[in-house]
Amino acid sequence: MLACPFKRAKTNPLITPDDLPFENNGVFNPAVADLGDEMVLLLRIERREGISELRIARSPNGVDNWEFADEPLLSPDLPDYPFEEWGCEDPRITRLENGQWAVAYTAYGRYGATVAVAIIDDSFESVERLGSVTMPPNKNAALYPVKFDGRWVMLNRPETGGRPQIWYAYSHEDNLAEWTLPGLLIPTHLGPWWDSTRIGAGAPPILTEDGWLLIYHGAKAAAGVLTYRLGLALVDRDDPRKVLARASDWVFAPVAPYETDGVAGNVVFTCGAAVRDDEVWMYYGASDMYVALARADIKDLLEFVWKYNYLEEAGRDKGMRD
Ligand code: BMA
């Protein structure tokens, strides 16, 4: 067995459905905003009827004593935002270099999933919606915190060539509502690979000395059951179109009981991470029911992605990738 750089918090799961003051099916896949003296999560809460809303939770230490907002920050806003009819899901918050808190989330409705973007105010009490910014089907979007040549860049997950895989897009000028110049960044693997059925961006990119670290999810079906695991890739610091490394092996998989048994068993799914003292605090949804935390040293994650780098071992040029 490979050593796993991530260590689960001893008090996992950190947040369960029973912690909330109203009935719900699950609380999972949170976005993360690290304020230093406080950790803010934007929780996805699936209500009893099945529709998800996004609600703020705050903790002084990022582990316990969570306080939940009285009202959702984002919930389906009809009739103005019809693409949200069936829910607001899987948010990713990025602190942009201009100081704004931007959130990309899935607006889910009868036409499928679209990527929606909103700006959150500094108190995390209100949002300004920019609306859906892609056509369906597209989800799993995460913004880089910096501009590249004057444009923002967003990871997103359209379904192309029949495969759900990770693309990038550039903003038109610096407009967060208009996206252009798309390209395929990370394809799904094929055949028996752990990330062969679908992949998507996880936490927003984390800047390291070797480039942008991506923690992404990959799913594989076995005996009719989809297992969601997490993998690592590195993107060039100056060119978000260029993958420097991608670990062949997954780095984190569902094994704890709260990950294997829940609303959707065998799922770990991250939408946000904080970096504290060179350590990545990865918050994740476990089995679409709980919020959990695992931590890893950045240096161990970089060592992992380079050690198991499939690009280097097999190489695009040998025609082994689609
Ligand atoms: C994906 C998303 C996630 C979910 C995962 C596992 O397609 O919808 O919200 O956690 O499936 O069910």
Side-chain angles (χ1 to χ4, degrees):
M1 276 269 280
L2 291 169
C4 176
F6 279 107
K7 302 283 174 276
R8 289 172 174 77
K10 289 197 178 64
T11 52
N12 270 353
L14 301 188
I15 304 174
T16 76
D18 291 342
D19 295 332
L20 291 157
F22 55 93
E23 287 194 59
N24 63 89
N25 295 333
V27 48
F28 53 111
N29 299 0
V32 179
D34 186 0
L35 306 188
D37 56 355
E38 191 180 31
M39 198 70 85
V40 177
L41 302 184
L42 183 57
L43 309 172
R44 172 177 170 191
I45 301 170
E46 189 183 299
R47 302 189 309 229
R48 282 287 291 266
E49 84 281 3
I51 290 175
S52 291
E53 61 178 44
L54 306 177
R55 198 176 279 249
I56 291 289
R58 318 175 79 120
S59 156
N61 61 9
V63 178
D64 52 23
N65 290 312
W66 295 98
E67 281 190 14
F68 303 100
D70 292 334
E71 300 293 329
L73 187 69
L74 284 155
S75 63
D77 185 359
L78 303 172
D80 290 346
Y81 297 91
F83 296 155
E84 297 181 356
E85 180 183 10
W86 291 348
C88 302
E89 303 183 349
D90 302 348
R92 277 95 172 168
I93 291 178
T94 300
R95 181 84 198 251
L96 302 178
E97 62 183 354
N98 64 12
Q100 287 183 313
W101 294 100
V103 58
Y105 61 99
T106 301
Y108 180 40
R110 66 182 66 197
Y111 308 107
T114 63
V115 173
V117 176
I119 302 297
I120 309 175
D121 80 310
D122 287 345
S123 63
F124 291 88
E125 283 171 4
S126 64
V127 285
E128 185 198 329
R129 277 174 167 85
L130 304 183
S132 286
V133 301
T134 68
M135 285 184 284
N138 201 327
K139 63 199 293 194
N140 297 317
L143 292 161
Y144 283 81
V146 300
K147 284 187 206 164
F148 299 85
D149 299 325
R151 301 170 187 264
W152 302 109
V153 173
M154 178 174 78
L155 300 170
N156 62 107
R157 211 286 302 279
E159 300 193 16
T160 52
R163 308 188 70 79
Q165 28 202 8
I166 302 174
W167 285 57
Y168 58 78
Y170 287 81
S171 64
H172 172 60
E173 297 176 346
D174 64 353
N175 186 346
L176 287 165
E178 287 183 32
W179 296 92
T180 181
L181 301 173
L184 176 60
L185 185 70
I186 304 179
T188 50
H189 281 121
L190 299 173
W193 282 69
W194 67 271
D195 50 356
S196 57
T197 302
R198 52 183 60 247
I199 61 174
I206 298 165
L207 188 57
T208 73
E209 59 193 27
D210 290 357
W212 296 98
L213 181 66
L214 306 189
I215 308 173
Y216 70 94
H217 66 262
K220 172 184 173 172
V225 175
L226 267 187
T227 296
Y228 277 75
R229 303 185 181 94
L230 301 174
L232 298 178
L234 260 184
V235 171
D236 188 277
R237 185 190 180 110
D238 302 315
D239 185 353
R241 298 167 301 180
K242 191 169 164 195
V243 177
L244 302 177
R246 175 184 183 181
S248 55
D249 300 43
W250 49 261
V251 72
F252 195 73
V255 291
Y258 50 88
E259 297 163 348
T260 56
D261 293 306
V263 170
N266 299 314
V267 172
V268 289
F269 194 97
T270 185
C271 290
V275 177
R276 289 190 166 182
D277 301 325
D278 295 326
E279 197 180 37
V280 172
W281 290 38
M282 179 182 74
Y283 290 86
Y284 63 100
S287 68
D288 287 2
M289 195 162 181
Y290 307 105
V291 171
L293 168 67
R295 285 177 280 233
D297 287 339
I298 288 191
K299 71 169 173 28
D300 293 341
L301 296 176
L302 293 177
E303 194 181 317
F304 188 100
V305 74
W306 286 119
K307 182 172 178 188
Y308 298 107
N309 179 19
Y310 175 71
L311 299 181
E312 193 173 272
E313 286 171 7
R316 291 181 176 213
D317 295 340
K318 291 183 185 168
M320 295 179 71
R321 299 161 57 92
D322 51 342

